[in-house]
Amino acid sequence: MKALISVDMEGISGIVHSSETNPERYDYQRGRELMTAEANAVIAGVLDAEPTADVLVADAHGTFRNLLPEQLDRRARLVRGKPRALNMLAGLDEETDAALFVGYHVRAGEGPGVLAHTMNGEILDVRVTGRAQDEEVRGTGRAPGEGVQVTAPKPGEDSRTTARSLGEIGLNAAMAGHLGVPVVLLSGDDAACAEAAALIPEAVTVPVKEALGMAAAVTVHPEEARDRLRRAAADAVSRRTEIPPLALTGPLDVEVDLASPHTIDLATLVPGVSRTAGARTVAFTAPDYGTAYRLILLLAQLATIRPA
């Protein structure tokens, strides 16, 4: 059995402020220690359920160099550093049996949610619209719509499904689903857990804090959070065959709202990406979700480029 644990930072218990997640701020070291401890709790839970499991841990926050390698459970392997394929999901492949998201946060524009955003401050929203398909979702043995409510259109109806606004939770869960991998567990604040439950109702969610705002929360004690995470991870991995992957079948129409006009100008240099009638939106059509995911990652990277 192979499991990938993707660990972000904003949704870790006890963390409420960017001073705890930014390498240049005074509280960052404590944030790293809290993050590593929660990763260890989930590793332990996976191995409680599957003692011979191959466990990969993807550092999925900022620089991707936050987890403390020397403090990580030695039974797991660590994926760290960037740039890398699949970004927050590096190490995931079609042989993976389960993905677990730890320390995740709600998407930009939702909340109240602790440190809510999507990838970076430049991406305001990502909307993905699929079309009903007849073939099975690749690698899952499931018909399109199991877990995503895609239905065949009636004669004369538009074949497109309703557009979904997706943040890091949905974008990454759909990429896992594209490879036939279910997301079986997510932890974070209550808003993040609600976002995950709306997308993957069968997944186990572990709220470790109640968001009061962008930088405030009622948080459980870190040791209590770790106990809950270990039990939940064991349960989630044990039930992995009951949890369907989030599969969005193509072709897919994607719209991305960007904060900076400069980023929009750069985005339109990418073949297939066009500016829409709105002042801040670019759009493209992708043949499948894997292509859409990579293009979204590229737009996020372009957003980090500043005018000369």
Side-chain angles (χ1 to χ4, degrees):
M1 185 264 177
K2 180 179 178 181
L4 177 82
I5 304 171
S6 174
V7 189
D8 205 349
M9 204 168 191
E10 290 86 355
I12 298 296
S13 64
I15 288 179
V16 297
H17 194 273
S18 60
S19 67
E20 299 160 315
T21 64
N22 187 328
E24 298 178 358
R25 303 293 295 275
Y26 71 94
D27 245 357
Y28 172 66
Q29 183 61 28
R30 188 169 63 88
R32 299 180 76 188
E33 293 173 355
L34 292 170
M35 179 188 187
T36 304
E38 288 202 5
N40 282 337
V42 176
I43 294 167
V46 171
L47 293 171
D48 287 344
E50 294 283 349
T52 62
D54 178 16
V55 181
L56 273 73
V57 178
D59 190 320
H61 174 74
T63 62
F64 296 168
R65 300 191 308 272
N66 309 278
L67 290 166
L68 299 168
E70 68 277 13
Q71 293 185 18
L72 197 69
D73 191 317
R74 64 188 300 168
R75 296 173 294 177
R77 293 180 292 150
L78 174 61
V79 186
R80 73 192 304 256
K82 66 192 314 183
R84 64 196 193 193
L86 296 189
N87 204 45
M88 296 174 73
L89 298 178
L92 187 80
D93 59 25
E94 292 172 324
E95 302 303 314
T96 306
D97 296 290
L100 302 90
F101 293 173
V102 179
Y104 270 54
H105 53 81
V106 74
R107 63 185 176 87
E110 286 296 300
V114 174
L115 299 172
H117 65 279
T118 299
M119 296 188 176
N120 55 45
E122 293 293 325
I123 294 184
L124 304 178
D125 192 20
V126 179
R127 296 178 295 281
V128 180
T129 306
R131 294 187 176 96
Q133 302 288 313
D134 292 329
E135 71 268 22
E136 289 188 342
V137 177
R138 179 169 63 85
T140 68
R142 298 180 172 87
E146 291 193 10
V148 292
Q149 300 178 353
V150 176
T151 57
K154 297 177 181 178
E157 287 185 344
D158 192 338
S159 64
R160 294 179 300 171
T161 61
T162 301
R164 290 169 170 264
S165 285
L166 300 177
E168 292 171 31
I169 294 170
L171 293 170
N172 289 331
M175 186 62 225
H178 179 68
L179 297 176
V181 181
V183 175
V184 300
L185 176 139
L186 179 135
S187 72
D189 67 17
D190 55 329
C193 289
E195 184 176 319
L199 292 166
I200 318 161
E202 300 87 351
V204 177
T205 56
V206 186
V208 297
K209 53 193 172 190
E210 177 187 352
L212 301 178
M214 185 69 171
V218 178
T219 179
V220 303
H221 192 282
E223 291 181 0
E224 174 63 22
R226 294 165 205 160
D227 289 345
R228 295 180 188 182
L229 283 166
R230 182 169 183 167
R231 293 192 299 268
D235 177 49
V237 167
S238 297
R239 297 196 296 106
R240 62 186 181 276
T241 59
E242 304 170 16
I243 302 172
L246 176 62
L248 303 183
T249 55
L252 298 164
D253 298 324
V254 181
E255 292 184 329
V256 181
D257 293 343
L258 299 164
S260 169
H262 178 68
T263 304
I264 295 172
D265 292 341
L266 291 174
T268 58
L269 299 176
V270 178
V273 177
S274 61
R275 190 191 309 261
T276 70
R280 67 183 187 187
T281 305
V282 296
F284 61 88
T285 297
D288 55 60
Y289 187 77
T291 302
Y293 184 78
R294 288 172 172 83
L295 266 173
I296 293 165
L297 294 181
L298 176 58
L299 293 178
Q301 189 62 36
L302 291 178
T304 66
I305 300 175
R306 295 292 177 260

